[in-house]
């Protein structure tokens, strides 16, 4: 097993911010479909809402990771 250089906190924070932005874009897309598209089955609507909620939870965790990195 080789060694590799640890990333600077600022780099990790920036990576996490980009990751959160990606999730937020997906959430916005899903929420737009949920509020505008009427040609989707009830099951798909339910599953998309669940997916949006789960991604929102991931964003909260990313925020906590960023806060922790900034604090330590």
């Amino acid at each position: 097993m080789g060694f590799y250089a640890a990333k600077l906190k600022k780099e990790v924070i920036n990576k996490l911010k980009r990751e959160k932005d990606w999730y937020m874009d997906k959430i916005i897309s899903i929420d737009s479909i949920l509020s505008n598209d009427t040609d989707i089955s009830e099951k798909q609507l339910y599953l998309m809402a669940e997916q949006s909620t789960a991604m929102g939870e991931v964003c909260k965790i990313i925020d906590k990771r960023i806060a922790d990195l900034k604090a330590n």
Side-chain angles (χ1 to χ4, degrees):
M1 184 160 117
F3 291 96
Y4 52 93
K7 292 183 181 180
L8 298 173
K9 279 186 187 182
K10 186 174 182 177
E11 289 177 31
V12 174
I13 289 169
N14 287 335
K15 178 188 165 290
L16 288 169
K17 286 179 180 179
R18 287 191 305 274
E19 182 179 350
K20 181 183 174 190
D21 288 345
W22 183 86
Y23 278 110
M24 292 303 295
D25 286 344
K26 298 299 178 191
I27 290 169
I28 290 167
S29 273
I30 290 171
D31 291 349
S32 175
I33 292 169
L34 290 173
S35 63
N36 295 316
D37 200 332
T38 57
D39 195 27
I40 297 177
S41 72
E42 288 296 318
K43 184 166 187 172
Q44 282 297 313
L45 290 172
Y46 168 78
L47 292 170
M48 290 172 73
E50 289 292 303
Q51 182 179 359
S52 179
T53 299
M55 287 187 204
E57 292 302 312
V58 170
C59 288
K60 289 177 188 177
I61 293 167
I62 290 170
D63 285 339
K64 289 177 184 179
R65 289 186 63 200
I66 291 170
D68 181 66
L69 284 166
K70 287 180 177 180
N72 295 308

